[in-house]
Amino acid sequence: MAQILNRDTALFHFLTRIGDSTLILGHRVSEWCGHSPMLEEDIALANTALDLIGHTRMWLGLAAEVEGKGRSADDLAFLRDSMDFTNLLLVEQPNGDFGQTMMRQLLFDAWHLPYLNALKSFPDPRVAGIAEKATKEVAYHVDRAADLVVRLGDGTHESHTRMQAALDELWPCVGEMFSTDEVDAMLAPDAPKPDRIRDAWDATILPTLARATLAVPATRFTRQGGKTGRHSEHLGHVLAQMQFLQRAYPGATW
Amino acid sequence: MVATIPRVAQVWDWLDEVPDPEIPVISLRDLGVIRDVRWEGDILSITITPTYSGCPATSLITLDIHSALADRGVDKVRVMQQLSPAWTTDWLSDKGRARLERYGIAPPGQAGGPDRCPHCGSDKLERISQFGSTPCKAAWRCMGCLEPFDYFKCI
């Protein structure tokens, strides 16, 4: 963050962090379209992706408005490079198999819902309005992800093994969701409190993993950097696909 | 150009004739997405709220409102979006609910699921998926007549 932080620039960063996370996860989930194990799951994943892209349009639209430099939500989505993206590392991780996708979804949704709930009382009504709208949709995401993680975790030996491997693989990306920095500090006391979000996350995740007969990984290693633009190698590939058209044919519309 | 400015109640009636782009048996008024209609000087100002954040029908709805009113001689129309209070299926009209059911889509139920099969009326139902052919619907199946059907889910 090269610029000096004040409340407006902090709000811009705060909004792009949420919007980038919903954008990249929405894109990742949309990669399943036409490839899911069953038609119903294909439709459910496409709907989830659609909700997340809808949230993105609102979050990045508001970020662009707050920034006041004439950029649009599309400009932010299609014309920034990876170091300017501030999504969580969790959401850019590859889909893997269906189980790994659902595990990533559950870990994110269990954070997303209480985070949005906290934002419903944000003093800026534009932020609170988006959170109020998105909360209703995300409540369905959590239910579905939890249901599938339990069914696959407590399923066959094969599905259980894969779900445990997915959890172990993604676990180091969990801590970043609850980290805070100067952006959150600038918006205090209005930014969601990480301790409370973590408590709500635990209250969803721990019983769900227990029902899924999955073991909480012992590692305390945490990967961070997404929120400040330091990404894994995967994000560049996502952007190459997502942004290709606007990069190759600037301003193309249809 | 119309000779006199149409009353707000008249505009509501007109909007009751504009079909929802995805489910044409119900109107935009039935769907509950129109939150306010008022004249601001000589501009007709209409406030709508999206059903789902990512629903692609939202931009079509705006277009359909503009063209329906232009057909009736009202050209100065401003359609504004409002997010809060967020749309809820409680705003579906009774007429809309009845029409959905006749069309084969179970209307939102109190218990968070359909009350009966829209085809045969059986209450032996099973959920296939919480997500269906559009963001606002879930996929269900009737164990009586064995037909699958869409359920307009509660939000």
Side-chain angles (χ1 to χ4, degrees):
Chain A
M1 257 155 283
Q3 63 195 128
I4 297 162
L5 215 53
N6 59 39
R7 217 184 139 86
D8 283 342
T9 52
L11 183 58
F12 171 77
H13 288 298
F14 184 76
L15 293 167
T16 47
R17 282 176 180 178
I18 314 171
D20 287 348
S21 283
T22 55
L23 173 61
I24 299 304
L25 185 59
H27 185 84
R28 272 286 189 228
V29 174
S30 79
E31 290 172 7
W32 273 103
C33 192
H35 299 279
S36 306
M38 302 166 64
L39 183 58
E40 287 78 9
E41 293 310 326
D42 206 282
I43 290 170
L45 284 165
N47 269 297
T48 304
L50 189 64
D51 287 342
L52 292 166
I53 299 299
H55 303 165
T56 304
R57 195 162 55 177
M58 299 191 288
W59 290 126
L60 293 186
L62 181 54
E65 187 182 320
V66 166
E67 186 192 39
K69 289 184 181 166
R71 289 202 282 184
S72 67
D74 279 343
D75 292 337
L76 292 175
F78 295 122
L79 301 177
R80 285 179 302 151
D81 212 338
S82 65
M83 69 279 270
D84 295 320
F85 270 78
T86 53
N87 57 278
L88 297 164
L89 294 177
L90 175 67
V91 300
E92 70 198 42
Q93 299 310 306
N95 285 339
D97 57 26
F98 179 74
Q100 188 172 328
T101 292
M102 292 322 301
M103 181 59 80
R104 185 186 62 201
Q105 194 67 36
L106 176 66
L107 297 175
F108 179 79
D109 291 344
W111 168 84
H112 198 195
L113 186 60
Y115 197 79
L116 290 172
N117 269 325
L119 285 182
K120 284 200 280 192
S121 49
F122 199 85
D124 185 329
R126 297 172 298 179
V127 175
I130 298 172
E132 181 193 346
K133 182 79 200 155
T135 304
K136 292 183 161 204
E137 295 158 11
V138 170
Y140 276 99
H141 300 180
V142 184
D143 280 355
R144 173 169 175 274
D147 182 46
L148 282 164
V149 164
V150 170
R151 280 206 263 169
L152 292 168
D154 189 20
T156 63
H157 174 71
E158 176 70 19
S159 71
H160 174 87
T161 306
R162 288 191 188 208
M163 292 310 278
Q164 187 64 55
L167 181 60
D168 294 346
E169 168 80 19
L170 295 171
W171 193 258
C173 296
V174 163
E176 190 187 25
M177 294 191 281
F178 309 103
S179 65
T180 55
D181 62 10
E182 66 272 22
V183 170
D184 304 278
M186 184 61 77
L187 295 174
D190 306 324
K193 311 270 181 303
D195 294 355
R196 284 210 202 137
I197 307 296
R198 180 75 200 222
D199 287 347
W201 188 87
D202 283 343
T204 301
I205 292 294
L206 300 179
T208 304
L209 293 182
R211 281 198 299 140
T213 70
L214 297 170
V216 174
T219 180
R220 305 191 68 169
F221 171 64
T222 294
R223 293 170 64 189
Q224 296 201 53
K227 288 159 81 168
T228 49
R230 288 174 294 120
H231 291 279
S232 65
E233 70 274 27
H234 306 297
L235 183 66
H237 295 273
V238 172
L239 297 186
Q241 189 190 48
M242 189 178 80
Q243 298 182 332
F244 166 78
L245 201 128
Q246 280 304 320
R247 300 286 192 185
Y249 305 96
T253 57
W254 63 91
Chain B
M1 192 59 209
V2 281
T4 53
I5 285 183
R7 287 178 304 115
V8 164
Q10 173 69 70
V11 175
W12 277 102
D13 287 345
W14 285 340
L15 294 173
D16 202 19
E17 292 166 20
V18 183
D20 172 76
E22 296 271 8
I23 311 166
V25 289
I26 61 169
S27 73
L28 295 182
R29 187 177 176 175
D30 287 329
L31 189 62
V33 293
I34 296 166
R35 304 314 302 157
D36 190 41
V37 175
R38 68 176 65 203
W39 284 100
E40 285 170 7
D42 62 345
I43 296 171
L44 182 59
S45 171
I46 297 178
T47 306
I48 62 171
T49 192
T51 52
Y52 280 75
S53 312
C55 188
T58 308
S59 53
L60 264 180
I61 285 174
T62 305
L63 260 175
D64 289 347
I65 291 175
H66 277 289
S67 65
L69 292 170
D71 287 348
R72 290 162 177 87
V74 187
D75 291 320
K76 286 188 178 172
V77 178
R78 183 171 51 207
V79 179
M80 290 176 303
Q81 278 218 31
Q82 173 184 296
L83 285 181
S84 179
W87 180 78
T88 158
T89 34
D90 294 345
W91 294 344
L92 274 172
S93 71
D94 288 342
K95 170 165 76 76
R97 281 166 202 269
R99 286 192 177 181
L100 279 177
E101 189 166 22
R102 224 175 307 142
Y103 187 59
I105 300 172
Q110 295 289 332
D115 297 330
R116 57 176 181 258
C117 168
H119 306 301
C120 75
S122 166
D123 62 358
K124 292 188 178 56
L125 311 170
E126 182 184 73
R127 192 180 76 197
I128 300 170
S129 173
Q130 269 176 347
F131 294 85
S133 54
T134 65
C136 56
K137 287 179 277 182
W140 282 66
R141 177 191 294 132
C142 174
M143 303 312 283
C145 67
L146 301 179
E147 285 292 322
F149 64 90
D150 276 337
Y151 165 61
F152 207 104
K153 66 189 179 200
C154 286
I155 67 165

